[in-house]
mmCIF file of all heavy atoms in Angstrom:
data_model
loop_
_atom_site.group_PDB
_atom_site.id
_atom_site.type_symbol
_atom_site.label_atom_id
_atom_site.label_comp_id
_atom_site.label_asym_id
_atom_site.label_seq_id
_atom_site.Cartn_x
_atom_site.Cartn_y
_atom_site.Cartn_z
ATOM 1 N N PRO R 450 -1.041 -6.951 30.602
ATOM 2 C CA PRO R 450 -1.761 -7.589 29.501
ATOM 3 C C PRO R 450 -2.619 -6.761 28.663
ATOM 4 O O PRO R 450 -2.970 -7.069 27.497
ATOM 5 C CB PRO R 450 -2.613 -8.714 30.164
ATOM 6 C CG PRO R 450 -2.121 -8.829 31.769
ATOM 7 C CD PRO R 450 -1.471 -7.536 31.877
ATOM 8 N N ALA R 451 -3.115 -5.547 29.262
ATOM 9 C CA ALA R 451 -3.931 -4.641 28.543
ATOM 10 C C ALA R 451 -3.247 -3.693 27.618
ATOM 11 O O ALA R 451 -3.864 -2.812 26.985
ATOM 12 C CB ALA R 451 -4.766 -3.906 29.397
ATOM 13 N N LEU R 452 -1.849 -3.881 27.522
ATOM 14 C CA LEU R 452 -1.041 -2.784 26.841
ATOM 15 C C LEU R 452 -1.335 -2.670 25.320
ATOM 16 O O LEU R 452 -1.666 -1.656 24.784
ATOM 17 C CB LEU R 452 0.461 -2.969 26.984
ATOM 18 C CG LEU R 452 1.460 -2.184 26.211
ATOM 19 C CD1 LEU R 452 1.285 -0.850 26.603
ATOM 20 C CD2 LEU R 452 2.858 -2.551 26.443
ATOM 21 N N PRO R 453 -1.538 -3.817 24.555
ATOM 22 C CA PRO R 453 -1.861 -3.780 23.080
ATOM 23 C C PRO R 453 -3.275 -3.089 22.894
ATOM 24 O O PRO R 453 -3.284 -2.281 21.887
ATOM 25 C CB PRO R 453 -1.686 -5.165 22.687
ATOM 26 C CG PRO R 453 -0.888 -5.965 23.639
ATOM 27 C CD PRO R 453 -1.111 -5.264 24.935
ATOM 28 N N ALA R 454 -4.151 -3.515 23.648
ATOM 29 C CA ALA R 454 -5.614 -2.942 23.455
ATOM 30 C C ALA R 454 -5.474 -1.501 23.605
ATOM 31 O O ALA R 454 -6.059 -0.792 22.945
ATOM 32 C CB ALA R 454 -6.431 -3.683 24.264
ATOM 33 N N ALA R 455 -4.814 -1.063 24.756
ATOM 34 C CA ALA R 455 -4.830 0.410 25.055
ATOM 35 C C ALA R 455 -4.040 1.246 24.037
ATOM 36 O O ALA R 455 -4.466 2.212 23.610
ATOM 37 C CB ALA R 455 -4.106 0.696 26.440
ATOM 38 N N MET R 456 -2.977 0.709 23.345
ATOM 39 C CA MET R 456 -2.183 1.378 22.381
ATOM 40 C C MET R 456 -3.072 1.453 21.007
ATOM 41 O O MET R 456 -2.922 2.377 20.286
ATOM 42 C CB MET R 456 -0.951 0.793 22.151
ATOM 43 C CG MET R 456 0.096 1.097 23.313
ATOM 44 S SD MET R 456 1.725 0.553 22.854
ATOM 45 C CE MET R 456 2.213 1.722 21.601
ATOM 46 N N THR R 457 -3.844 0.511 20.909
ATOM 47 C CA THR R 457 -4.676 0.451 19.628
ATOM 48 C C THR R 457 -5.762 1.404 19.710
ATOM 49 O O THR R 457 -6.315 1.838 18.534
ATOM 50 C CB THR R 457 -5.210 -0.976 19.368
ATOM 51 O OG1 THR R 457 -4.166 -1.940 19.323
ATOM 52 C CG2 THR R 457 -5.969 -1.107 18.055
ATOM 53 N N ALA R 458 -6.282 1.807 20.847
ATOM 54 C CA ALA R 458 -7.436 2.724 20.971
ATOM 55 C C ALA R 458 -7.129 4.095 20.313
ATOM 56 O O ALA R 458 -8.046 4.437 19.511
ATOM 57 C CB ALA R 458 -7.637 2.979 22.457
ATOM 58 N N GLY R 459 -6.035 4.633 20.449
ATOM 59 C CA GLY R 459 -5.653 5.912 19.751
ATOM 60 C C GLY R 459 -5.860 5.838 18.194
ATOM 61 O O GLY R 459 -6.342 6.771 17.515
ATOM 62 N N ILE R 460 -5.324 4.625 17.679
ATOM 63 C CA ILE R 460 -5.376 4.531 16.219
ATOM 64 C C ILE R 460 -6.912 4.314 15.735
ATOM 65 O O ILE R 460 -7.204 4.869 14.805
ATOM 66 C CB ILE R 460 -4.597 3.297 15.942
ATOM 67 C CG1 ILE R 460 -3.056 3.511 16.098
ATOM 68 C CG2 ILE R 460 -4.841 2.888 14.377
ATOM 69 C CD1 ILE R 460 -2.185 2.350 15.950
ATOM 70 N N VAL R 461 -7.596 3.682 16.384
ATOM 71 C CA VAL R 461 -9.106 3.404 16.250
ATOM 72 C C VAL R 461 -9.903 4.684 16.287
ATOM 73 O O VAL R 461 -10.549 5.034 15.338
ATOM 74 C CB VAL R 461 -9.718 2.397 17.196
ATOM 75 C CG1 VAL R 461 -11.173 2.301 17.063
ATOM 76 C CG2 VAL R 461 -9.154 0.996 17.027
#
Side-chain angles (χ1 to χ4, degrees):
L452 177 62
M456 286 192 69
T457 305
I460 297 173
V461 171

